[in-house]
């Protein structure tokens, strides 16, 4: 059978989508090639969030097409995902040699289309049409690639985003919000737990809006079409958002020890979600709160739906419930019209919050987004200069936050060998910091107490030997003050 190589760009959703496509192709009898040079089919799963990501994938595909043309090998080349969705058929013209362009709602058709291309029934396929129900179309995605089950697994809970932040292309590439049912998601988590998965990461473009949009007949978005409705509530009158209901349901799954999720929106941090951190021990003390800017004027232009003050209030509430909360964020520098003063307010917000981790982006205009035509586009030098200043501050704060962990004993979930040094093992604290330690394969999948002995750049070094061998209580942090 032909072999496939899939290269992934972009966010965790793309990683999960690539896993799903790989699982689908394996089930159809395809094999996975160890490298692109050895593959009969090369698929690039693309990202459109910034121009840089698009250019990287375009250049990669051009280089592949040129290589295969030179060597005379017949290789099927395909673009999947966000850039395929936003550019569609134009990709066939932009990169001669490409055979397949599959949008974000069509990934479950990959095997069918490859079959047709390989049998010569079609010379090229472009499919970017929306498809009802595609959010539930491919579930099977556990990568049993190297033989051992991963400790952590992604679970897609919804697709799309209706927020339409003025800089963002995602609502165009991923479409409107569509949620899977709580019943299906829980069933998937149970299967994962049965296969040895210990941690699930619930994924979506805006997970805090999970299930908020009603289905076609007005039924709640988190109910399966064949489930009775209205449902008996049984929650003692406590009002909860569909997302918190989902967290509670996943929390019930035996064998799942930790629950994470990404990406939320700050406006989704209502009291019910904040309070859930105190109530659900498997929900780890980690929150990714994309702030984007510290200036109210810019937040408004971005159409983010919260103010700097509201954002700070959410952070304070979360830290009141869980003092050891790890907080990360996304920031964009150089949004159109951003003044030095606006930028200073972003820096000031960083000093105030002291984020553990910041994903810092240079503003990149995206086609058909409102921000792309806003006045006040900044010269690239200004963007570069602000980016450098912000990065320095962010790194300085993170160094302090990491150094403050030295001497503490924390619980980690061991994921496997460290990427940088496979002789060592790595795990994550509940607050989402990576800990590297001298361990062995037998630690994989264990919740382990380690004492932090040293802090490096965005990495902690731990020593499990110092701590007693008493088993760690399920799901509970060892040290309440710091997960
Ligand atoms: N909720 C989504 C957001 C996707 S984009 C998710 O994380 O899954 C991720 C981040 O990229 C955004 O939070 C934003 O900080 C950044 N980003 C999005 N559009 C951008 C643009 N046009 N230019 C620069 N950065 C951008
Ligand atoms: Fe993009 Fe804003 Fe949605 S950043 S993914 S439009 S919440």
């Amino acid at each position: 059978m032909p072999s496939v190589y899939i290269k992934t760009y972009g966010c965790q959703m793309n990683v999960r989508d690539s896993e799903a496509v790989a699982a689908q192709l394996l089930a159809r009898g395809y094999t996975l090639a160890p490298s692109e040079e050895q593959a009969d089919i090369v698929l690039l799963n693309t990202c459109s969030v910034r121009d840089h990501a698009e250019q990287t994938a375009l250049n990669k595909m051009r280089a592949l097409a040129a290589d295969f043309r030179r060597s005379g090998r017949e290789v099927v080349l395909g673009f999947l995902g966000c850039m395929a969705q936003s550019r569609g058929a134009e990709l066939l013209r932009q990169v001669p040699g490409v055979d397949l362009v599959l949008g974000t709602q069509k990934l479950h058709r990959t095997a069918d289309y490859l079959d047709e291309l390989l049998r010569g029934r079609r010379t090229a396929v472009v499919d970017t049409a929306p498809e009802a129900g595609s959010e539930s179309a491919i579930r099977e995605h556990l990568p049993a690639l190297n033989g051992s089950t991963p400790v952590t697994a992604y679970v897609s809970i919804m697709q799309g985003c209706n927020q339409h932040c003025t800089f963002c292309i995602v609502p165009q590439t991923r479409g409107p919000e569509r949620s899977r049912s709580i019943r299906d998601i829980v069933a998937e988590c149970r299967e994962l737990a049965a296969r040895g998965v210990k941690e699930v990461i619930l994924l979506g473009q805006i997970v805090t809006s999970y299930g908020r949009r009603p289905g076609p007949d007005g039924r709640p978005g988190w109910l399966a079409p064949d489930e009775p409705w209205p449902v008996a509530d049984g929650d003692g009158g406590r009002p909860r958002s569909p997302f918190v209901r989902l967290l509670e349901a996943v929390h019930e799954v035996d064998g799942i020890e930790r629950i994470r999720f990404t990406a939320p929106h700050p406006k989704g941090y209502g009291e019910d979600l904040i309070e859930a951190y105190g109530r659900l021990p498997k929900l780890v003390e980690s929150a990714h709160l994309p702030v984007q800017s510290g200036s109210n004027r810019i937040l408004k232009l971005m159409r983010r739906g919260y103010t700097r003050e509201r954002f700070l209030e959410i952070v304070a509430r979360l830290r009141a419930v869980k003092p050891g909360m790890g907080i990360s964020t996304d920031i964009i520098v150089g949004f159109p019209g951003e003044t030095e003063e606006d930028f200073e307010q972003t820096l000031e917000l960083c000093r105030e919050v002291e984020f553990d981790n910041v994903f810092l982006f240079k503003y990149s205009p995206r086609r058909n987004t409102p921000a792309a035509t806003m006045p006040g586009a900044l010269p690239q030098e200004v963007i570069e200069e602000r980016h450098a200043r912000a990065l320095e501050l962010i790194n300085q704060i993170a160094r302090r936050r990491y150094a403050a962990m030295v001497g503490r004993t924390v619980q980690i979930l061991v994921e496997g060998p460290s990427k940088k040094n496979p002789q060592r093992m790595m795990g994550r604290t509940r607050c989402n910091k990576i800990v590297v330690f001298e361990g062995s394969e037998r630690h994989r999948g264990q919740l382990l107490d380690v004492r932090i002995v040293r802090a490096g750049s965005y990495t902690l070094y731990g020593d499990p030997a110092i701590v007693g061998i008493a088993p760690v209580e399920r799901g509970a942090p060892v040290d309440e003050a710091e997960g």
Side-chain angles (χ1 to χ4, degrees):
M1 270 309 265
S3 66
V4 190
Y5 187 79
I6 306 175
K7 188 169 171 61
T8 308
Y9 299 88
C11 65
Q12 285 111 319
M13 187 69 93
N14 275 8
V15 174
R16 185 266 168 203
D17 285 346
S18 292
E19 288 172 4
V21 170
Q24 177 198 146
L25 293 173
L26 286 171
R28 194 65 77 86
Y30 289 81
T31 59
L32 297 181
S35 71
E36 56 208 34
E37 292 81 19
Q38 289 159 270
D40 304 306
I41 301 157
V42 179
L43 303 175
L44 303 187
N45 192 6
T46 56
C47 171
S48 283
V49 161
R50 283 165 298 277
D51 186 55
H52 181 73
E54 290 204 346
Q55 295 308 327
T56 311
L58 284 168
N59 289 339
K60 177 74 191 171
M61 193 62 105
R62 287 195 186 103
L64 286 171
D67 281 353
F68 293 135
R69 221 174 292 128
R70 225 174 290 127
S71 67
R73 280 190 58 208
E74 287 275 330
V75 177
V76 173
L77 296 176
F79 280 117
L80 309 181
C82 287
M83 184 170 67
Q85 185 71 42
S86 68
R87 296 198 180 206
E90 76 184 63
L91 285 169
L92 297 183
R93 291 190 296 279
Q94 287 167 343
V95 192
V98 168
D99 309 282
L100 176 67
V101 178
L102 267 193
T104 51
Q105 302 193 31
K106 290 296 166 139
L107 299 179
H108 59 290
R109 300 288 316 272
T110 311
D112 293 344
Y113 285 139
L114 285 177
D115 285 352
E116 291 183 17
L117 286 166
L118 290 166
R119 292 205 189 107
R121 291 215 186 105
R122 294 170 74 161
T123 50
V125 175
V126 177
D127 190 354
T128 57
E131 184 166 319
S134 62
E135 66 279 7
S136 314
I138 28 182
R139 261 182 28 157
E140 187 53 47
H141 64 95
L142 239 207
L145 306 181
N146 47 15
S148 60
T149 309
V151 173
T152 284
Y154 291 127
V155 175
S156 165
I157 65 168
M158 67 183 303
Q159 288 276 343
C161 180
N162 288 8
Q163 184 67 22
H164 293 279
C165 302
T166 55
F167 53 80
C168 186
I169 200 172
V170 170
Q172 291 172 52
T173 60
R174 291 276 176 179
E177 289 163 20
R178 290 145 291 140
S179 297
R180 293 175 65 197
S181 68
I182 291 186
R183 189 185 67 186
D184 275 12
I185 296 166
V186 166
E188 181 173 345
C189 292
R190 283 213 189 95
E191 279 170 38
L192 292 169
R195 291 164 71 169
V197 167
K198 296 286 195 299
E199 175 183 74
V200 287
I201 305 178
L202 308 178
L203 282 187
Q205 303 299 335
I206 179 160
V207 290
T208 38
S209 294
Y210 169 80
R212 278 190 195 273
R213 279 171 65 84
D217 49 359
R219 293 156 51 88
W222 45 273
L223 266 186
D226 60 333
E227 283 181 280
W229 178 61
V231 276
D233 205 325
D235 63 0
R238 185 170 40 209
R240 286 114 76 238
S241 59
F243 182 59
V244 171
R245 281 175 188 266
L246 172 69
L247 290 175
E248 289 171 356
V250 173
H251 198 268
E252 293 291 304
V253 177
D254 283 337
I256 297 298
E257 311 271 7
R258 285 182 171 189
I259 304 170
R260 296 186 189 279
F261 56 82
T262 200
H265 190 288
K267 76 172 187 164
Y269 276 79
E271 206 40 42
D272 63 331
L273 178 54
I274 292 172
E275 177 260 357
Y277 281 97
R279 191 157 57 80
L280 304 175
K282 293 179 182 177
L283 184 59
V284 292
E285 293 79 322
S286 167
H288 181 67
L289 290 171
V291 68
Q292 314 298 0
S293 169
S295 151
N296 280 336
R297 201 179 69 80
I298 298 293
L299 286 172
K300 200 156 184 191
L301 288 172
M302 289 176 162
R303 208 189 290 143
R304 287 292 290 176
Y306 53 84
T307 59
R308 171 196 180 92
E309 292 72 28
R310 172 67 190 134
F311 183 86
L312 291 172
E313 188 180 301
I314 294 166
V315 171
R317 283 291 300 130
L318 282 169
R319 285 185 168 152
V321 173
K322 287 282 171 183
M325 199 79 173
I327 298 183
S328 57
T329 198
D330 293 348
I331 288 175
I332 298 177
V333 294
F335 187 83
E338 184 189 72
T339 62
E340 177 62 26
E341 196 191 333
D342 293 319
F343 175 66
E344 285 290 341
Q345 286 179 18
T346 300
L347 296 183
E348 192 46 43
L349 181 120
C350 289
R351 284 187 204 102
E352 214 170 318
V353 175
E354 300 217 305
F355 294 107
D356 297 271
N357 205 348
V358 178
F359 298 90
L360 185 65
F361 303 108
K362 298 169 199 161
Y363 172 70
S364 164
R366 311 311 297 132
R367 65 164 85 172
N368 301 326
T369 58
T373 48
M374 280 182 188
L378 295 181
Q380 202 55 34
E381 312 87 79
V382 175
I383 298 184
E384 298 291 338
E385 187 260 347
R386 287 185 188 165
H387 183 270
R389 271 158 70 201
L391 197 62
E392 197 184 320
L393 174 69
I394 287 160
N395 286 340
Q396 187 190 323
I397 292 169
R399 263 198 301 278
R400 249 198 335 264
R401 300 273 303 165
Y402 276 69
M405 303 274 297
V406 174
R408 293 192 193 171
T409 297
V410 295
Q411 183 205 66
I412 62 168
L413 175 62
V414 183
E415 292 179 16
S418 152
K419 285 202 184 74
K420 281 194 201 131
N421 179 355
Q423 302 305 312
R424 293 183 181 160
M425 298 294 280
M426 68 74 73
R428 246 170 241 273
T429 66
R430 288 174 61 92
C431 63
N432 207 21
K433 293 188 175 67
I434 288 177
V435 179
V436 172
F437 67 103
E438 304 285 341
S440 67
E441 266 302 315
R442 80 188 159 84
H443 292 121
R444 189 197 285 263
Q446 284 188 17
L447 289 170
L448 209 66
D449 285 1
V450 295
R451 208 174 115 84
I452 304 303
V453 292
R454 188 161 68 81
S457 173
Y458 295 97
T459 306
L460 298 171
Y461 296 87
D463 187 350
I466 297 176
V467 179
I469 26 182
V472 180
E473 198 186 314
R474 273 198 171 183
V478 173
D479 176 350
E480 267 302 320
E482 189 53 81

